[in-house]
Amino acid sequence: MGRVPGFEAAFASVAGGVSKLSDFGVSVAACLTASALNIGYAPVIKAGTAALERDRLSHVAQNYLAAETFSLANAPLIEEQAKIGFARQLGGGLVAAIDGMRFVVPVPSIYTRPNRKFFGGKRGLTWLNMINDQGAGLGAKVVTGTVRDSPHMIDVLFRRDGGQRPDIIVTDTGSYVVTWTPLVPQAPLDT
């Protein structure tokens, strides 16, 4: 948790405060692991270790883990990824792609809509994601499953979690044809 500066600090409470819990990073790491692996808390709970007690993990998940904190925590990870030599060899982060993936959602949600073409008789949503030539998950947005990607693509581009603003955007026809020219030229990466 402390290896990438700014990662742990991004997990502020819903009230905006920084946690004063001892071993807070351990609790966040346990919650992130449980969520990422979809295993629940049981495998990461350790009785007698305050940072890994069920009540602590529940408190941390409810008060410190939210879409906003995930985006804030993603930014320093994106910056660190861009510093890796192999990632730099792939490019300077100036070529990006934004595309949508559609999912059937089995529970009611304000984002779901019916669309027989994509979801049969069910309801679903679209998850737009941005990648570049250095990494994936630079920004994302959930939109209703029936609207065109193109109006929301610009939102993903300008509200990305981190990384350099790209010079070139690659899309499929769902986002129509897009030509992107940055308003302000960016300095090249140092080599």
Side-chain angles (χ1 to χ4, degrees):
M1 290 290 294
R3 190 170 174 191
V4 177
F7 181 73
E8 183 179 336
F11 294 100
S13 76
V14 291
V18 176
S19 174
K20 295 179 181 165
L21 297 170
S22 63
D23 295 325
F24 176 69
V26 174
S27 299
V28 171
C31 289
L32 292 175
T33 300
S35 178
L37 297 176
N38 197 24
I39 57 175
Y41 293 127
V44 295
I45 289 173
K46 185 173 181 184
T49 304
L52 298 174
E53 294 278 350
R54 179 177 295 279
D55 289 344
R56 164 77 79 89
L57 296 179
S58 178
H59 171 76
V60 169
Q62 290 177 26
N63 293 289
Y64 295 91
L65 304 184
E68 294 80 14
T69 56
F70 289 138
S71 290
L72 290 172
N74 199 24
L77 297 178
I78 291 167
E79 299 302 324
E80 283 298 309
Q81 172 74 20
K83 294 176 186 176
I84 296 172
F86 179 70
R88 292 176 66 87
Q89 291 297 316
L90 295 174
L94 300 177
V95 177
I98 300 174
D99 199 7
M101 293 187 281
R102 291 183 170 80
F103 297 95
V104 171
V105 178
V107 296
S109 170
I110 61 171
Y111 293 108
T112 61
R113 299 288 187 273
N115 186 327
R116 290 204 176 279
K117 178 180 176 184
F118 299 113
F119 313 124
K122 299 181 178 169
R123 298 170 67 87
L125 59 79
T126 301
W127 179 58
L128 288 175
N129 190 13
M130 179 177 171
I131 65 172
N132 71 8
D133 52 5
Q134 291 184 332
L138 304 177
K141 181 178 182 180
V142 174
V143 295
T144 59
T146 58
V147 298
R148 300 292 294 182
D149 298 352
S150 53
H152 300 282
M153 184 192 72
I154 301 300
D155 195 31
V156 172
L157 174 66
F158 281 101
R159 295 182 62 209
R160 67 194 181 284
D161 295 344
Q164 193 167 6
R165 188 176 63 222
D167 284 343
I168 300 169
I169 301 293
V170 180
T171 70
D172 60 11
T173 57
S175 297
Y176 300 111
V177 176
V178 176
T179 303
W180 168 258
T181 304
L183 299 173
V184 179
Q186 298 179 1
L189 292 173
D190 295 331
T191 54

